[in-house]
């Protein structure tokens, strides 16, 4: 669904829809200074809905369907995947025989996943909703879209 509005001659557009959503597992690094139970890495299941909000100057043209398709492609790439924040403190990621091993230097925690199920988030340190939104924006803009703001809203399934 899209909503058009605007003020001062600008057109505002908000884009949402079922194709702009994904469910994933996020590898959450330990939180420094947290209680012992929270100080270990965890796997968190999460569902996210993406909303794209644009403000267009008078006369500006937008390929609405093209933009929707690009954002939907990014959501599809994250759907039912394990998200690995490559900049997480103490995280070492290795690959061997089609597997990805994510291990943390403190505590000896180690996770192993099929490589085809993983998405490496090069700029992320926590795979937080804010980092995911930034990643979607960056990849969408890099694919040719401009002047957009994306927001991811997450309902964490982990504790």
């Amino acid at each position: 669904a899209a909503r058009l509005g605007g003020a001062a001659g600008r057109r505002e557009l908000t884009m949402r829809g079922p194709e702009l959503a994904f469910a994933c597992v996020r590898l959450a690094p330990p939180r420094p200074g947290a209680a012992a139970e929270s100080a270990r890495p965890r796997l968190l299941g999460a569902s996210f809905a993406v909303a794209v909000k644009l403000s267009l100057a008078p006369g500006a043209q937008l390929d609405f369907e093209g933009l929707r398709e690009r954002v939907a492609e990014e959501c599809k790439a994250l759907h039912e995947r394990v998200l690995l924040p490559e900049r997480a403190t103490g995280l070492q990621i290795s690959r061997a025989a089609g597997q990805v091993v994510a291990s943390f230097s403190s505590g000896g925690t180690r996770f192993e996943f099929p490589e085809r199920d993983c998405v490496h988030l090069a700029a992320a340190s926590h795979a937080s909703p804010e980092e995911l939104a930034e990643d979607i924006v960056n990849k969408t803009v890099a694919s040719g879209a401009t002047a957009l703001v994306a927001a991811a809203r997450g309902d964490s399934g982990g504790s």
Side-chain angles (χ1 to χ4, degrees):
R3 182 180 63 82
L4 287 172
R10 296 188 70 82
R11 291 184 301 153
E12 291 181 5
L13 174 120
T14 302
M15 185 186 316
R16 292 184 174 90
E19 71 281 10
L20 304 181
F22 61 96
C24 63
V25 172
R26 298 180 299 135
L27 178 58
R31 289 185 272 167
E37 182 179 299
S38 298
R40 60 179 173 70
R42 298 174 297 151
L43 294 175
L44 302 175
S47 296
F48 294 92
V50 176
V52 178
K53 184 174 183 178
L54 297 162
S55 179
L56 301 172
Q61 298 296 312
L62 171 68
D63 177 2
F64 182 84
E65 286 306 313
L67 177 60
R68 177 181 288 282
E69 288 172 13
R70 287 186 186 112
V71 175
E73 286 171 10
E74 293 305 324
C75 291
K76 186 176 179 180
L78 298 171
H79 187 61
E80 296 184 348
R81 299 287 186 256
V82 178
L83 309 184
L84 302 173
E86 291 192 340
R87 292 185 48 225
T89 303
L91 175 63
Q92 291 90 36
I93 297 174
S94 60
R95 296 168 181 87
Q99 296 292 106
V100 172
V101 176
S103 55
F104 287 86
S105 54
S106 62
T109 303
R110 172 188 153 116
F111 300 98
E112 191 167 334
F113 310 103
E115 189 165 12
R116 70 182 174 277
D117 291 344
C118 296
V119 174
H120 299 267
L121 303 172
S125 59
H126 292 89
S128 66
E130 296 81 10
E131 287 178 326
L132 294 174
E134 184 175 347
D135 190 63
I136 290 169
V137 168
N138 291 339
K139 289 179 178 173
T140 302
V141 170
S143 73
T146 58
L148 72 98
V149 176
R153 179 185 65 226
D155 301 314
S156 180
S159 52

